Amino acid sequence: MTGIKRSKNMVHSAYDSFQLLTGCPNKIDAIESYGSKLLLGCSDGSLRIYGSDPSADRSPPSDPHALRKEPYSLERTVSGLSKKALISMQVLESRELLLSLSESIAFHRLPNLETIAVITKAKGANVYSWDDRRGFLCFGRQKRVCIFRHDGGRGFVEVKDFGVPDTVKSMSWCGENICLGIRKEYVILNATNGALWEVFSSGKIAPPLVVALPSGELILGKENIGVFVDQNGKLLQADRICWSEAPTSVVIQKPYAIALFPRRVEIRSLRVPYQLIQTIALPGVRRLIKSNNAIVVALENSVHGLFPVPLGAQIVQLTASGNFEEALALCKLLPPEDASLRAAKEGSIHMRYAHYLFDNGSYEEAMEHFVASQVDITYVLSLYPSIILPKATAVSEPEKLVGHSLDAPHLSRGSSGLSDDLETFLPPSESDDNSALEFKKMSHNTLMALIKFLQKKRYSIVEKAAAEGTEEVVLDAVEDSFTSSRLKKSSKGRVNVPINSAAREMAAILDTALLQALLLTGQSAAAVELLKGLNYCDAKICEEILQKGNHYAALLELYRSSSMHREALTLLQQLAEESKSNHSQAELIQEFSPEAIIEYLKPLCGTDPMLVLEFSMLVLESSPTQTIELFLSGNIPADLVNSYLKQHAPNMQGRYLELMLAMNENGISGNLQNEMVQIYLSEVLEWYSELSAQQIWDEKEYSPTRKKLVSALESISGYNPEALLKRLPPDALFEERATLLGKMNQHELALSLYVHKLHVPELALAYCDRVYESAVHHPPTKSSGNIYLTLLQIYLNPQKTTKNFEKRITNLVSSSNASIPKISSTASFKTRGARKKIASIEGAEDMRISPTNTDSSRSDGDAEESSEEGGSSIMLDQVLDLLSRRWDRLNGAQALRLLPRETKLQNLLPFLGPFVKKSSEAYRNFSVIKSLRQSENLQVKDELYNQRKAVVKISSDSMCSLCNKKLGTSVFAVYPNGTTLAHFVCFRDSQSMKAVSKVSQLRKR
C-alpha cells in the first residue's frame, strides 16, 4: 500500500518519505532515475522501468523531468540486460547513456537501451567513478585501476592502467586525481603519472567510503566519522561530521548529507556542528541514490522517495523551534526570484534570534543580529529605558515588530525628556553583594553591546545626514538666486524649501544615545573623540548630562561642534579661574590653562573676530605674547584690533603695533604707524615730565621706550612729523626733534641740532650719510653732495646757524600748521571699522637735497666775510675730519671755496691726497676710453670702405625682385645682401608704401 510515511523528527522535517512502488517480483539490487522514471536492476539481470500512472487524473507536473510524489507502476521490462545481477547503475544525462556494472561495465543508449559499448577489461570490476566534465571513466579491478575516455561516439579508449597496493573498495574523481579507499587506508592517485600518496588510515571495522562534494572536496569515512579533505587529501577543518554508526553510502543534496544505514536513513546538516536533522526508519533499506529533485531509497522489493519539504516550511519550523542559525542558512538557499521573501524572512529571523540572545545574556551577538535585521535603531534603544533621546522621537514598540511577547517595562518608553536618572537599570532590591555585582556587570555588558551596535550603524546614518545637509545647502543657494529678485521688495525674510530631515533626526538619536552609552561605561576619551568629529548630538540633552557628570572636555567639544562658541569660551574661562584657585588639580590646570582659550579662538578669527577680541581680553595680561600672535596669525583687521585694545587694554596697544610692524612693515597702515609713534611719544613725555620735576633730566639718557621712539621715527614714514613736532618740549628731546626736521627736509636745522644742541658730530655725519644714500637710491638729484656742504657750513659758521634757532623752528611749525591740514594725534574709529587716511605731507615724498640749502654759489669774498664774522669759533677740527672721511662724496671745488684762506694746506692733505689721486685716475681712464673709441671709429670706417668696394654684375637676364621685369639699362638698387636687385623706382615706391603703412598703424593705435 502506497502513501506518505512520517519519519521520526529530530529537529524538523527536511524530507517527506513517500512510497513510490511496492511488490517488485524480484529483489532490487540497483536503482537509478531517468527523468521522471525509475530504473530498477533486479537480481535476475533484468531492468524494470517504472513511471507514474498515466490513468490517474492529476494536474500536469511543473517539471516533467522530476520524480513525482505519487504511486509508480511498471511500464516495461528489459530482460537479459546483463547475465548476472547488476551491482550499480548510473544515468549519464549529458550523453544520454546508462552505465551499468555487472560482470563488466556496459553502456546503453537511452531511452531505447541499445548497447553501444562493453569494456571487457572491466570484467571483475567492483567499483567505478565517472567524470562527466571530461568523459573519463575509472574503475577498480583487484589491485589495478584503469582509466578510459569516451571518444564522443560509440567507443571508449583506454588511457591509463595503474597498479595499487590493495583491492579498491571505494573511489571518486577529485579534480585531476583519483581518491582511492583501499582495504586499510585512503590514497590519492595521480591520474597522469600514477604517483600515490597516503592520506590517512580508513579504520579497522567499516570499509572505506569516499563521497564527493559539489565543491570538488571530499568526505572520507573513518568508522562513524566523516573527515573533510581537499582534492590533494589535505585536511580542511578540525570539525568532523559524526554519524550514529558507520554508513554504507552517503549522498549529498545541499544543505544536507543523507546517510544510508541497514534500518534507517539519517539526514544531517552540512553546517558546523553538522547536527542531526531527521531520521527516517526504513527497515531492510539497501540502496540510496540522488535524483533531480529527491532522494530515492530502495528496499528489497519496494522503493521510497524522500521529497524535500519546501524551504519556506522548513524555515518556519526551525524558527518556531528556536533553531535560528539553521533557519538563516536555509534562507540563503531561497531562489533569486524570491529575493523580497528571503529578505523578509531573514529580517524576521534575525529579530527573533536577537531577542532570544538578549534575553539570555548574549548581548553582543544579539546586537549583531539586530544589525542584520536592518531594524530601526529606535527599536533597539527601546530596550534601554534610561537612555535619553531627543523629544518627539517616535520609538517603535517591540511587541508590534516581533511575534512573541516581551516584558512591557523593558520595552515601553515615553518621549524621552531630560531625566535626572542616568542609571542603566534599576538596581535589585536585594542587598546581596553578589547579586549587585552581577547586576552591575550585566548593565555594563548591555551598554557595551549597544555601543558596538550604534557604531556599526553610525557610518551609513551619518553619511545620509551629511548628504541631506549638502542637498539643503544647494537648494537654498538655488532658491536664493531664483527668488532674490521677486522677494527683494516685498519679503523681509527667505521662505525655506521644506527638506525631509529624517536622516538628520535619526543621526541625532544615534549620536545622543551613543554619547550616553560611552559615558555610562566610563569611556570619556571615546566620547570626546566622538564629539570632535562630525556628529549630530542633541545639544540640550548632552549639555545637561555632561554638566552633571563634570565631563568638561567632552562638554567643550560639544559646544565647539554645535557652534556654541560663547558658551565654550565661558566654560574655559570658568575652568581657568578654578584651576588658579585650586593649585592641587594639576591636570585641570594643564588642560584648561589660558592657552586653551587662545587655541580655541584661533579658528574663530576669520568667522567671528568680535568674539575673539572680547574673550582674548581675558588672557591678554597673563599671556600677552600668545594673544597678540593670535591677532596677527588670525588676520583680524589691524584697525579693528587697535581700536578694541585702545578701549579695553590701552597698555597693550603699543606692543601689538610693535609686533605688527615687525611682522610686516608694509602691512600696517600709516594711521597705525602714526598711532604707534604717538603712543611712544606720550610715554617718553611722561617719563620726561617725571625726571624734569625731579630736576634730574639728562638729554643723553635713553629709556627703552625712548630708544623705540627714535628707531620708529627713523625707520617708518607713515606718521605726521609736524603734529609730533608740536608736542616736543622746546628744551629737550633734541634727537627726536632733529629726526622729525629731517623728515620735513629741514636738513640744516636738523644738523644744527646734532652739532650745537647734542654736540655729537658723529650723529650729524650719520644723518648726512642717510640722506645721501637715500638720494642715491631715489635719483635724479642735482647735487647729492650738498648735504655734506650744509654740514660744512654749519661747522664754519656756528654763530650764524645758532642765531634765532628756536624762533626759526617755531616759525616752521606754525607755517606748516597753516599749510598742512591738522591731523589728530590718535586714530579715530567708527563702529563700521572705517579708518581715516593720514593727509600726505606736501613735499614729503621728495627727499632730494635742494641746492638752495647751501650757499654753493658764493664767491671767495663771501667766504672771507663769513670767516671774519666768527673766525674765533670755527669748528676747524670737525671740518677737517669731515673732509678727510667723506672726500669722495663732496664737490671739491665748492668745499675749497668755503674754507677760510688761512687754512693750512698741510691740514688738507687727508682730503686733497685721495681727491687728487681719484681725479688723476679718472682723467687717465677717460683718456684710455677716448683712444679706444677713436680706434673703434677707424675700424668702422674701414669696414664701410670695404663694403663700398663691392661689385655687382648686371646682365641681360638680371630681373627686378619687385616687379619681376628685366633691369636692362635702368637705374637699379642693390639690397644689403649683395645679390637681390630691384629697379630704383620700384625700390623707392616700396619704401614709400612701407612708410605710409606704418603711419596708418600708429594712427589706429
Side-chain angles (χ1 to χ4, degrees):
M1 182 177 178
T2 60
I4 297 178
K5 184 177 181 180
R6 290 296 175 182
S7 61
K8 184 181 178 182
N9 189 11
M10 301 300 292
V11 176
H12 73 287
S13 294
Y15 290 89
D16 283 335
S17 176
F18 185 85
Q19 190 177 58
L20 297 176
L21 63 94
T22 186
C24 182
N26 297 311
K27 186 169 65 172
I28 302 172
D29 289 331
I31 188 170
E32 185 60 281
S33 67
Y34 174 56
S36 63
K37 301 184 181 300
L38 288 176
L39 308 181
L40 305 183
C42 299
S43 57
D44 60 354
S46 63
L47 179 69
R48 298 173 69 88
I49 302 174
Y50 286 81
S52 60
D53 189 358
S55 63
D57 186 13
R58 296 182 177 89
S59 59
S62 57
D63 185 1
H65 300 290
L67 290 179
R68 301 178 187 177
K69 199 173 182 180
E70 57 188 50
Y72 273 61
S73 60
L74 179 65
E75 291 187 350
R76 66 175 175 137
T77 302
V78 180
S79 301
L81 185 68
S82 64
K83 294 180 180 181
K84 294 184 178 181
L86 292 173
I87 299 175
S88 62
M89 292 186 299
Q90 184 176 352
V91 171
L92 312 180
E93 292 184 0
S94 62
R95 289 170 169 77
E96 290 293 323
L97 296 175
L98 174 63
L99 184 156
S100 62
L101 173 60
S102 181
E103 58 183 354
S104 63
I105 294 178
F107 290 87
H108 309 274
R109 180 75 64 188
L110 291 171
N112 298 325
L113 297 174
E114 172 191 358
T115 302
I116 64 170
V118 177
I119 300 177
T120 57
K121 193 172 182 179
K123 187 176 182 180
N126 62 319
V127 64
Y128 70 89
S129 180
W130 169 258
D131 184 354
D132 192 66
R133 181 179 62 85
R134 298 183 298 166
F136 274 46
L137 171 70
C138 67
F139 57 86
R141 181 174 60 88
Q142 298 178 357
K143 295 184 180 182
R144 309 291 300 178
V145 173
C146 301
I147 302 174
F148 281 74
R149 185 188 77 249
H150 185 215
D151 62 1
R154 300 175 62 88
F156 283 79
V157 178
E158 182 177 359
V159 178
K160 296 289 183 180
D161 186 353
F162 301 113
V164 293
D166 209 335
T167 304
V168 179
K169 299 293 184 181
S170 180
M171 66 189 321
S172 176
W173 284 99
C174 50
E176 304 296 327
N177 302 324
I178 305 172
C179 182
L180 305 177
I182 58 178
R183 189 179 299 274
K184 294 182 179 180
E185 61 183 350
Y186 293 101
V187 296
I188 299 295
L189 172 66
N190 188 313
T192 303
N193 55 24
L196 287 169
W197 59 89
E198 297 181 0
V199 181
F200 54 79
S201 61
S202 60
K204 298 180 180 179
I205 302 175
L209 177 63
V210 180
V211 181
L213 295 173
S215 61
E217 299 162 353
L218 302 171
I219 298 178
L220 304 183
K222 187 171 183 180
E223 305 298 357
N224 65 325
I225 297 174
V227 182
F228 292 86
V229 297
D230 63 8
Q231 296 180 355
N232 297 316
K234 184 178 179 181
L235 294 177
L236 291 177
Q237 55 197 32
D239 296 295
R240 307 285 187 264
I241 183 169
C242 297
W243 309 99
S244 59
E245 57 181 297
T248 56
S249 64
V250 176
V251 296
I252 304 297
Q253 189 176 49
K254 278 196 168 183
Y256 303 116
I258 300 94
L260 178 65
F261 298 93
R263 300 183 60 84
R264 66 188 182 280
V265 173
E266 278 189 10
I267 302 167
R268 289 187 176 269
S269 171
L270 283 176
R271 292 181 63 257
V272 179
Y274 311 110
Q275 62 177 338
L276 177 64
I277 300 298
Q278 186 179 5
T279 299
I280 301 175
L282 292 170
V285 63
R286 304 185 63 194
R287 296 287 184 268
L288 180 71
I289 65 161
K290 180 179 72 171
S291 69
N292 291 338
N293 64 319
I295 302 297
V296 182
V297 181
L299 283 70
E300 189 168 335
N301 298 103
S302 61
V303 177
H304 288 256
L306 305 183
F307 293 91
V309 175
L311 288 176
Q314 295 187 53
I315 292 170
V316 171
Q317 293 180 43
L318 289 169
T319 305
S321 61
N323 290 279
F324 302 105
E325 296 286 352
E326 289 293 334
L328 291 172
L330 290 183
C331 285
K332 292 179 171 53
L333 299 178
L334 289 172
E337 56 268 19
D338 295 336
S340 58
L341 175 62
R342 169 181 171 179
K345 284 186 175 293
E346 285 185 337
S348 175
I349 295 169
H350 279 298
M351 183 75 71
R352 296 173 67 93
Y353 195 14
H355 276 284
Y356 172 80
L357 293 171
F358 193 89
D359 293 341
N360 289 276
S362 300
Y363 304 112
E364 291 191 11
E365 295 180 35
M367 293 303 164
E368 291 178 2
H369 287 281
F370 276 129
V371 171
S373 68
Q374 300 296 322
V375 68
D376 192 88
I377 60 171
T378 56
Y379 177 82
V380 178
L381 291 173
S382 65
L383 302 174
Y384 296 83
S386 296
I387 296 293
I388 305 171
L389 300 184
K391 290 184 177 180
T393 300
V395 181
S396 304
E397 290 295 334
E399 294 91 340
K400 298 179 182 179
L401 298 179
V402 183
H404 61 279
S405 61
L406 295 169
D407 294 337
H410 294 284
L411 300 177
S412 61
R413 62 184 304 139
S415 61
S416 64
L418 293 181
S419 173
D420 295 335
D421 182 17
L422 294 182
E423 294 298 325
T424 309
F425 298 99
L426 292 175
S429 58
E430 297 84 2
S431 60
D432 186 12
D433 294 340
N434 293 331
S435 62
L437 181 61
E438 187 66 24
F439 178 83
K440 183 177 180 181
K441 179 180 178 182
M442 182 270 294
S443 302
H444 183 272
N445 292 340
T446 55
L447 288 170
M448 290 300 295
L450 177 64
I451 291 171
K452 292 184 179 180
F453 168 77
L454 294 176
Q455 288 174 340
K456 288 180 180 179
K457 300 285 288 186
R458 187 173 188 273
Y459 176 79
S460 60
I461 293 178
V462 171
E463 188 177 30
K464 289 180 183 178
E468 188 179 273
T470 304
E471 179 186 0
E472 183 174 356
V473 170
V474 173
L475 289 177
D476 284 348
V478 173
E479 181 201 359
D480 287 342
S481 62
F482 181 74
T483 61
S484 58
S485 60
R486 298 185 179 182
L487 300 179
K488 188 174 182 181
K489 296 182 179 180
S490 61
S491 178
K492 294 182 179 179
R494 180 174 54 83
V495 180
N496 290 326
V497 176
I499 298 293
N500 181 16
S501 59
R504 278 178 290 177
E505 288 180 1
M506 191 60 65
I509 295 171
L510 188 149
D511 282 349
T512 304
L514 179 57
L515 179 66
Q516 295 177 64
L518 290 172
L519 295 176
L520 290 171
T521 53
Q523 301 182 65
S524 301
V528 172
E529 292 300 320
L530 171 67
L531 293 170
K532 281 184 178 180
L534 175 64
N535 70 87
Y536 293 86
C537 291
D538 185 276
K540 185 177 181 182
I541 295 175
C542 296
E543 179 185 20
E544 181 169 342
I545 292 172
L546 293 172
Q547 285 177 349
K548 288 182 179 180
N550 296 331
H551 301 289
Y552 297 122
L555 181 59
L556 182 64
E557 294 301 331
L558 174 68
Y559 287 147
R560 192 199 306 270
S561 63
S562 302
S563 298
M564 300 168 66
H565 302 303
R566 183 172 295 277
E567 290 80 357
L569 291 167
T570 304
L571 174 64
L572 281 174
Q573 178 189 0
Q574 176 185 351
L575 294 174
E577 292 175 357
E578 291 180 359
S579 64
K580 291 179 181 178
S581 59
N582 190 358
H583 297 284
S584 61
Q585 299 181 1
E587 296 181 359
L588 190 65
I589 294 173
Q590 183 178 3
E591 186 174 0
F592 300 108
S593 60
E595 286 76 11
I597 298 180
I598 296 176
E599 290 297 322
Y600 191 95
L601 290 173
K602 284 182 180 179
L604 303 180
C605 292
T607 58
D608 197 349
M610 293 306 298
L611 184 67
V612 173
L613 291 173
E614 177 184 348
F615 281 92
S616 62
M617 298 299 105
L618 304 174
V619 294
L620 186 59
E621 293 185 3
S622 59
S623 304
T625 304
Q626 295 91 327
T627 307
I628 293 176
E629 287 177 355
L630 169 69
F631 299 150
L632 300 178
S633 61
N635 295 324
I636 302 178
D639 290 339
L640 180 62
V641 177
N642 181 66
S643 175
Y644 206 91
L645 289 175
K646 186 175 181 180
Q647 182 178 359
H648 297 89
N651 58 326
M652 299 303 299
Q653 186 183 5
R655 186 166 182 180
Y656 166 72
L657 294 174
E658 285 177 13
L659 293 175
M660 188 72 182
L661 185 65
M663 187 175 183
N664 184 8
E665 182 176 356
N666 298 325
I668 183 171
S669 64
N671 195 10
L672 294 181
Q673 292 182 17
N674 186 64
E675 184 94 7
M676 183 178 70
V677 175
Q678 292 283 2
I679 292 172
Y680 287 159
L681 181 56
S682 298
E683 293 182 10
V684 171
L685 291 176
E686 183 179 354
W687 174 63
Y688 163 74
S689 301
E690 293 177 359
L691 295 183
S692 297
Q694 301 174 14
Q695 297 182 356
I696 56 174
W697 168 255
D698 185 0
E699 184 66 31
K700 296 182 180 180
E701 186 177 354
Y702 287 84
S703 65
T705 306
R706 188 182 181 189
K707 292 179 181 179
K708 293 179 183 179
L709 175 61
V710 172
S711 176
L713 292 175
E714 293 177 354
S715 59
I716 64 177
S717 59
Y719 57 86
N720 185 351
E722 290 83 1
L724 296 174
L725 195 62
K726 286 183 61 178
R727 299 184 61 190
L728 294 179
D731 56 347
L733 304 179
F734 295 117
E735 184 174 358
E736 291 82 348
R737 186 184 299 273
T739 305
L740 291 173
L741 290 172
K743 293 289 184 180
M744 299 167 62
N745 288 338
Q746 300 296 324
H747 303 300
E748 183 178 1
L749 291 177
L751 291 173
S752 298
L753 287 173
Y754 286 123
V755 173
H756 299 305
K757 291 293 183 180
L758 295 174
H759 306 290
V760 185
E762 288 296 330
L763 291 178
L765 183 60
Y767 177 88
C768 292
D769 292 339
R770 288 198 302 272
V771 174
Y772 178 86
E773 291 169 359
S774 65
V776 169
H777 295 304
H778 298 84
T781 57
K782 187 172 181 180
S783 178
S784 59
N786 284 342
I787 186 64
Y788 294 100
L789 294 177
T790 301
L791 179 59
L792 195 63
Q793 286 180 330
I794 292 173
Y795 286 151
L796 294 172
N797 303 298
Q799 292 183 354
K800 181 179 179 180
T801 55
T802 55
K803 189 181 297 182
N804 298 325
F805 181 78
E806 289 78 5
K807 184 177 181 180
R808 290 172 62 191
I809 293 180
T810 303
N811 293 336
L812 175 66
V813 173
S814 60
S815 64
S816 64
N817 289 339
S819 59
I820 297 176
K822 184 178 181 181
I823 297 177
S824 174
S825 61
T826 59
S828 63
F829 291 88
K830 296 183 179 180
T831 56
R832 296 182 182 178
R835 64 177 72 172
K836 291 185 178 181
K837 295 183 178 179
I838 299 177
S840 59
I841 302 172
E842 183 179 356
E845 72 279 359
D846 186 7
M847 300 296 293
R848 293 176 295 169
I849 308 304
S850 174
T852 59
N853 288 341
T854 61
D855 219 356
S856 59
S857 61
R858 292 183 353 169
S859 63
D860 292 343
D862 295 333
E864 289 178 10
E865 181 182 353
S866 63
S867 63
E868 288 174 1
E869 252 179 53
S872 60
S873 60
I874 291 177
M875 303 173 70
L876 186 60
D877 293 339
Q878 286 79 4
V879 170
L880 296 176
D881 181 69
L882 174 63
L883 292 175
S884 63
R885 295 174 65 179
R886 296 294 183 268
W887 60 266
D888 55 332
R889 297 185 177 184
L890 284 163
N891 187 315
Q894 292 183 5
L896 290 174
R897 282 197 295 269
L898 291 175
L899 293 175
R901 290 187 174 182
E902 61 269 16
T903 303
K904 295 182 181 180
L905 188 62
Q906 183 179 0
N907 296 334
L908 296 177
L909 285 178
F911 164 67
L912 293 175
F915 183 80
V916 172
K917 183 178 179 182
K918 181 180 178 181
S919 301
S920 301
E921 290 179 355
Y923 176 78
R924 287 196 301 271
N925 292 337
F926 288 135
S927 299
V928 172
I929 293 172
K930 179 180 178 182
S931 301
L932 291 174
R933 288 181 176 176
Q934 289 178 349
S935 175
E936 184 180 5
N937 187 25
L938 293 175
Q939 291 177 0
V940 172
K941 287 182 178 180
D942 183 60
E943 185 177 357
L944 176 63
Y945 296 150
N946 292 333
Q947 292 294 332
R948 287 179 174 177
K949 290 180 182 179
V951 178
V952 179
K953 293 182 179 182
I954 306 297
S955 64
S956 58
D957 297 329
S958 298
M959 304 289 289
C960 174
S961 61
L962 298 177
C963 65
N964 294 325
K965 294 181 179 179
K966 292 185 178 181
L967 293 175
T969 58
S970 303
V971 180
F972 62 90
V974 183
Y975 283 88
N977 59 10
T979 57
T980 304
L981 306 174
H983 290 110
F984 181 74
V985 177
C986 296
F987 173 75
R988 184 182 59 193
D989 293 343
S990 66
Q991 294 298 316
S992 63
M993 290 177 64
K994 288 181 180 179
V996 171
S997 63
K998 288 182 179 179
V999 172
S1000 62
Q1001 289 178 0
L1002 291 174
R1003 288 178 179 176
K1004 290 181 179 178
R1005 293 178 182 176

mmCIF file of all heavy atoms in Angstrom, residues 182-197:
data_model
loop_
_atom_site.group_PDB
_atom_site.id
_atom_site.type_symbol
_atom_site.label_atom_id
_atom_site.label_comp_id
_atom_site.label_asym_id
_atom_site.label_seq_id
_atom_site.Cartn_x
_atom_site.Cartn_y
_atom_site.Cartn_z
ATOM 1 N N ILE A 182 41.252 1.927 -0.254
ATOM 2 C CA ILE A 182 41.661 0.517 -0.314
ATOM 3 C C ILE A 182 41.384 -0.111 1.045
ATOM 4 O O ILE A 182 40.711 0.479 1.889
ATOM 5 C CB ILE A 182 43.120 0.403 -0.776
ATOM 6 C CG1 ILE A 182 44.067 1.162 0.143
ATOM 7 C CG2 ILE A 182 43.285 0.939 -2.196
ATOM 8 C CD1 ILE A 182 45.528 1.030 -0.243
ATOM 9 N N ARG A 183 41.909 -1.269 1.260
ATOM 10 C CA ARG A 183 41.478 -2.059 2.399
ATOM 11 C C ARG A 183 41.683 -1.348 3.736
ATOM 12 O O ARG A 183 40.797 -1.371 4.602
ATOM 13 C CB ARG A 183 42.237 -3.395 2.406
ATOM 14 C CG ARG A 183 41.699 -4.394 3.441
ATOM 15 C CD ARG A 183 42.474 -5.686 3.380
ATOM 16 N NE ARG A 183 42.349 -6.310 2.071
ATOM 17 C CZ ARG A 183 41.341 -7.121 1.714
ATOM 18 N NH1 ARG A 183 40.387 -7.373 2.564
ATOM 19 N NH2 ARG A 183 41.298 -7.652 0.507
ATOM 20 N N LYS A 184 42.807 -0.689 3.953
ATOM 21 C CA LYS A 184 43.096 -0.137 5.271
ATOM 22 C C LYS A 184 43.398 1.374 5.271
ATOM 23 O O LYS A 184 43.643 1.933 6.326
ATOM 24 C CB LYS A 184 44.290 -0.862 5.899
ATOM 25 C CG LYS A 184 44.002 -2.310 6.218
ATOM 26 C CD LYS A 184 45.210 -2.954 6.895
ATOM 27 C CE LYS A 184 44.912 -4.409 7.245
ATOM 28 N NZ LYS A 184 46.066 -5.057 7.908
ATOM 29 N N GLU A 185 43.392 2.012 4.105
ATOM 30 C CA GLU A 185 43.769 3.419 4.072
ATOM 31 C C GLU A 185 43.200 4.096 2.831
ATOM 32 O O GLU A 185 42.680 3.454 1.916
ATOM 33 C CB GLU A 185 45.297 3.569 4.078
ATOM 34 C CG GLU A 185 45.979 2.914 2.880
ATOM 35 C CD GLU A 185 47.486 3.014 2.942
ATOM 36 O OE1 GLU A 185 47.972 3.741 3.807
ATOM 37 O OE2 GLU A 185 48.145 2.373 2.129
ATOM 38 N N TYR A 186 43.335 5.418 2.871
ATOM 39 C CA TYR A 186 42.968 6.254 1.715
ATOM 40 C C TYR A 186 44.249 6.762 1.074
ATOM 41 O O TYR A 186 45.192 7.182 1.762
ATOM 42 C CB TYR A 186 42.113 7.436 2.151
ATOM 43 C CG TYR A 186 40.745 7.055 2.670
ATOM 44 C CD1 TYR A 186 40.491 7.011 4.030
ATOM 45 C CD2 TYR A 186 39.713 6.768 1.784
ATOM 46 C CE1 TYR A 186 39.247 6.668 4.517
ATOM 47 C CE2 TYR A 186 38.455 6.425 2.261
ATOM 48 C CZ TYR A 186 38.216 6.373 3.621
ATOM 49 O OH TYR A 186 36.983 6.030 4.082
ATOM 50 N N VAL A 187 44.253 6.738 -0.274
ATOM 51 C CA VAL A 187 45.403 7.240 -1.023
ATOM 52 C C VAL A 187 44.886 8.112 -2.157
ATOM 53 O O VAL A 187 43.737 7.978 -2.606
ATOM 54 C CB VAL A 187 46.284 6.109 -1.573
ATOM 55 C CG1 VAL A 187 46.911 5.301 -0.452
ATOM 56 C CG2 VAL A 187 45.483 5.204 -2.502
ATOM 57 N N ILE A 188 45.745 9.029 -2.617
ATOM 58 C CA ILE A 188 45.449 9.875 -3.781
ATOM 59 C C ILE A 188 46.319 9.385 -4.931
ATOM 60 O O ILE A 188 47.547 9.255 -4.790
ATOM 61 C CB ILE A 188 45.732 11.361 -3.490
ATOM 62 C CG1 ILE A 188 44.857 11.861 -2.333
ATOM 63 C CG2 ILE A 188 45.478 12.213 -4.720
ATOM 64 C CD1 ILE A 188 43.388 11.861 -2.613
ATOM 65 N N LEU A 189 45.680 9.093 -6.056
ATOM 66 C CA LEU A 189 46.374 8.588 -7.243
ATOM 67 C C LEU A 189 46.431 9.694 -8.279
ATOM 68 O O LEU A 189 45.382 10.251 -8.656
ATOM 69 C CB LEU A 189 45.642 7.369 -7.813
ATOM 70 C CG LEU A 189 46.145 6.844 -9.179
ATOM 71 C CD1 LEU A 189 47.562 6.290 -9.049
ATOM 72 C CD2 LEU A 189 45.192 5.786 -9.725
ATOM 73 N N ASN A 190 47.643 10.025 -8.724
ATOM 74 C CA ASN A 190 47.801 10.986 -9.816
ATOM 75 C C ASN A 190 47.439 10.294 -11.122
ATOM 76 O O ASN A 190 48.095 9.351 -11.540
ATOM 77 C CB ASN A 190 49.245 11.506 -9.861
ATOM 78 C CG ASN A 190 49.427 12.651 -10.836
ATOM 79 O OD1 ASN A 190 48.970 12.571 -11.973
ATOM 80 N ND2 ASN A 190 50.111 13.683 -10.399
ATOM 81 N N ALA A 191 46.361 10.765 -11.791
ATOM 82 C CA ALA A 191 45.867 10.097 -12.997
ATOM 83 C C ALA A 191 46.795 10.274 -14.180
ATOM 84 O O ALA A 191 46.592 9.607 -15.212
ATOM 85 C CB ALA A 191 44.480 10.639 -13.341
ATOM 86 N N THR A 192 47.799 11.086 -14.054
ATOM 87 C CA THR A 192 48.722 11.294 -15.182
ATOM 88 C C THR A 192 49.930 10.384 -15.103
ATOM 89 O O THR A 192 50.283 9.691 -16.070
ATOM 90 C CB THR A 192 49.183 12.766 -15.214
ATOM 91 O OG1 THR A 192 48.037 13.612 -15.298
ATOM 92 C CG2 THR A 192 50.079 13.032 -16.404
ATOM 93 N N ASN A 193 50.572 10.324 -13.936
ATOM 94 C CA ASN A 193 51.800 9.530 -13.830
ATOM 95 C C ASN A 193 51.688 8.361 -12.858
ATOM 96 O O ASN A 193 52.654 7.631 -12.662
ATOM 97 C CB ASN A 193 52.968 10.427 -13.402
ATOM 98 C CG ASN A 193 52.671 11.190 -12.116
ATOM 99 O OD1 ASN A 193 51.838 10.761 -11.321
ATOM 100 N ND2 ASN A 193 53.352 12.316 -11.921
ATOM 101 N N GLY A 194 50.538 8.196 -12.227
ATOM 102 C CA GLY A 194 50.348 7.054 -11.346
ATOM 103 C C GLY A 194 50.952 7.200 -9.977
ATOM 104 O O GLY A 194 51.003 6.218 -9.219
ATOM 105 N N ALA A 195 51.420 8.404 -9.614
ATOM 106 C CA ALA A 195 52.019 8.604 -8.294
ATOM 107 C C ALA A 195 50.952 8.466 -7.210
ATOM 108 O O ALA A 195 49.811 8.894 -7.368
ATOM 109 C CB ALA A 195 52.668 9.983 -8.221
ATOM 110 N N LEU A 196 51.352 7.857 -6.098
ATOM 111 C CA LEU A 196 50.437 7.641 -4.973
ATOM 112 C C LEU A 196 50.974 8.357 -3.734
ATOM 113 O O LEU A 196 52.193 8.413 -3.512
ATOM 114 C CB LEU A 196 50.298 6.149 -4.666
ATOM 115 C CG LEU A 196 49.487 5.287 -5.632
ATOM 116 C CD1 LEU A 196 49.696 3.823 -5.307
ATOM 117 C CD2 LEU A 196 48.016 5.634 -5.548
ATOM 118 N N TRP A 197 50.047 8.960 -2.936
ATOM 119 C CA TRP A 197 50.444 9.445 -1.616
ATOM 120 C C TRP A 197 49.304 9.205 -0.645
ATOM 121 O O TRP A 197 48.137 9.294 -0.987
ATOM 122 C CB TRP A 197 50.857 10.908 -1.643
ATOM 123 C CG TRP A 197 49.842 11.887 -2.111
ATOM 124 C CD1 TRP A 197 48.930 12.524 -1.383
ATOM 125 C CD2 TRP A 197 49.644 12.337 -3.462
ATOM 126 N NE1 TRP A 197 48.171 13.361 -2.136
ATOM 127 C CE2 TRP A 197 48.593 13.272 -3.430
ATOM 128 C CE3 TRP A 197 50.270 12.046 -4.681
ATOM 129 C CZ2 TRP A 197 48.142 13.905 -4.581
ATOM 130 C CZ3 TRP A 197 49.834 12.688 -5.821
ATOM 131 C CH2 TRP A 197 48.776 13.603 -5.775
#
